[in-house]
Structures are given as C-alpha cells and as structure tokens.
Amino acid sequence: MDKKYMTIIASVMFAALFISSCSLKQTGTSDTSASPQVVNYTVEAETDNSVQNIISVVGTGSAKARPDLISFRIGIEEIAETTSAALSEANKKLNAIYTVLEKHNIAKENAVTSSITIGPRTKYNSETRTDELIGQAVSETVVVSIEGIASDNEVRLANIIDELGLISGIRINSISFSVKDKESLYREARKNATFNALAKADDYASGLGITVKEIKSITEGSIETPYPYVNDRIMYATKATDESYSSIISSGEYEVSVKVTLVATI
C-alpha cells in the first residue's frame, strides 16, 4: 500500500479514538440528578381473614343486709341577753344529751360536735324598717353514731330517741341507717351482676341457635349507693297503754346495686 494512504488511514483512526474518548469523559461527569434512579418496593400485607361475632350485654346485681350502723344529728339553739348566758343554757342541754347517751353505753367519741355558731340574733321591724337586736344566739350540732343496731336493738334505739326527746328545745334529725362492712355487700352484688350478664348472653345466643364461646371483657359500670333514710319516714309515735307516746324505729334493709358490661364471642 502506498505510504500516503497509510498515513491518511492512521490519521482517521486517531481522530476516531479521540472523539470516542471525549464522549466517554462527558458521560462520566454528567449530572445524575437529571435522571433519578427508581427503586420499586414490594410490601406484602398481612391480613386476618377470620371474623369474630361478638355479643355485648349489661348485667345488674344487688345485695342486701340488715343495718348495723345508725347516725343522727342533735341540734341545740339558745338565745339570751348575753353570749355567756346563751352558752350556759346550751351547755346544760348538751350535758343532758351526753347523760342519756352514756346511760345507753354510747361513748363520747361517738358523739362529735360538727358545728357551733355564736352571734347576735336580730328581728326585722317592719315599722322602722330596721333589724333590731333581740339577743345573743348559740347554735350547736352534735352527730351521734351507734354501732350494732339490728332488729333486736330497734327498741333500744327508740328508747334513746324517747329520752332525748324529753330534753326541751333540741332537734333530732337526719337519721340514717347503714352497714359497717359495705365491701362485702359490693362483692356479692358484683357476683350477682356477672351471673345476670352471663344468663342474658346465654339467652340471646340460644335464641339464635348458637352458644357463647369466650368471654372477652367485663367492665363495671355505675355503682348505686343507697341514700340514708330520713327520720320522718322511719320514726313515728304510737300511743302506749299508759297514755304516753313511744317511738317506733324501722331500720329496714340496706341495699347496694352494681352494673357490669360483658362482651363475649359467639
């Protein structure tokens, strides 16, 4: 081959190699952010195809007991020209009250002074349209608590009330009955409420021709606490053979009730 043609061919090959090298260099320094890489993630979700049928019912239960606690309030009020005179008269009545309580084996720690008020007592005069001082007043309230009051002790309580009633100018009110061990009553009421809820669940399930499978939860709802009986509903007078009047005390029963919500599978 002619030497001239060989020189031309060598020059063309060199130029081709140079162009290819420049192209590779530009490709290596290009901005890769213009063509972001896409990564595909495959998430495999776990599904529970089992469906549980549930039933929710409310059960109620109660428990009763004879009261073994009683409390009542005794009010004293005296008005005199001076505070010391009013206090003296109030203390006389207070001592008479404690004498009756001690006679019936009621300790002083079970007769607690809950309030005492000392101050002037006025009366409105409609003619002068002013309050006129009529004296100094002393008011005192004693709360009495007695344990062991059962049906056989109702007569004892009536005797206490009768003897206190002989003290002129005192008030006896807010008589209420209760039980000392309330927690035992509530435990019994909770059991009864649970049994009631289970019976309801069984009734509904049997009505559908199925059975209760598993208890999922039991939630306690409202707890109903009985209100104290008011004295005018439990204490009244009856005429005795000696033409006197004696108190009759009826303690009744102390009742508590509980509600529960039961959830079960069917």
Side-chain angles (χ1 to χ4, degrees):
M1 183 178 294
D2 189 65
K3 189 175 183 179
K4 180 179 180 180
Y5 288 106
M6 291 181 65
T7 303
I8 294 173
I9 292 171
S11 298
V12 172
M13 291 178 66
F14 178 81
L17 290 172
F18 179 80
I19 292 172
S20 177
S21 175
C22 290
S23 176
L24 290 173
K25 184 177 181 181
Q26 290 178 354
T27 301
T29 59
S30 63
D31 187 5
T32 57
S33 63
S35 301
Q37 185 179 8
V38 179
V39 180
N40 294 322
Y41 293 95
T42 301
V43 179
E44 186 174 338
E46 295 183 1
T47 58
D48 186 3
N49 294 324
S50 62
V51 178
Q52 290 185 331
N53 295 318
I54 64 170
I55 184 173
S56 177
V57 295
V58 175
T60 58
S62 61
K64 298 179 181 180
R66 294 288 294 179
D68 57 6
L69 287 174
I70 186 173
S71 66
F72 57 91
R73 293 175 179 269
I74 304 174
I76 305 170
E77 185 177 53
E78 289 295 325
I79 301 174
E81 291 184 1
T82 63
T83 301
S84 60
L87 274 172
S88 178
E89 290 299 318
N91 289 334
K92 287 180 182 179
K93 293 182 179 180
L94 187 61
N95 289 331
I97 290 170
Y98 282 123
T99 299
V100 173
L101 297 178
E102 289 175 2
K103 177 183 176 181
H104 293 275
N105 299 319
I106 300 173
K108 282 191 175 182
E109 53 265 27
N110 290 332
V112 181
T113 300
S114 63
S115 67
I116 182 168
T117 304
I118 301 175
R121 179 61 55 87
T122 60
K123 182 180 180 181
Y124 182 73
N125 189 325
S126 59
E127 294 181 358
T128 61
R129 296 183 179 181
T130 58
D131 291 328
E132 295 180 352
L133 181 67
I134 60 174
Q136 298 295 321
V138 173
S139 300
E140 190 168 354
T141 301
V142 177
V143 178
V144 181
S145 301
I146 308 174
E147 295 185 11
I149 299 299
S151 58
D152 56 342
N153 285 328
E154 288 177 353
V155 175
R156 175 192 172 212
L157 175 60
N159 292 334
I160 295 173
I161 298 297
D162 287 340
E163 292 188 32
L164 288 173
L166 296 176
I167 304 172
S168 178
I170 68 170
R171 299 184 307 273
I172 302 174
N173 53 32
S174 301
I175 299 179
S176 62
F177 294 96
S178 182
V179 295
K180 190 173 182 179
D181 188 10
K182 294 185 181 68
E183 187 56 35
S184 295
L185 273 183
Y186 280 116
R187 283 197 294 267
E188 183 180 350
R190 291 184 184 104
K191 290 179 182 178
N192 294 336
T194 303
F195 292 151
N196 180 253
L198 287 170
K200 283 185 178 180
D202 287 335
D203 289 342
Y204 286 119
S206 61
L208 297 172
I210 55 180
T211 59
V212 176
K213 295 180 179 178
E214 181 183 2
I215 305 300
K216 287 295 185 181
S217 67
I218 298 178
T219 305
E220 186 175 281
S222 61
I223 298 179
E224 298 178 8
T225 303
Y227 291 97
Y229 296 101
V230 184
N231 64 318
D232 59 1
R233 296 182 61 184
I234 58 137
M235 187 178 74
Y236 55 93
T238 181
K239 194 172 183 181
T241 56
D242 59 355
E243 300 298 319
S244 64
Y245 288 86
S246 299
S247 297
I248 294 179
I249 305 297
S250 177
S251 59
E253 289 185 316
Y254 189 89
E255 180 179 8
V256 299
S257 59
V258 174
K259 292 182 180 179
V260 297
T261 301
L262 183 143
V263 178
T265 58
I266 54 177

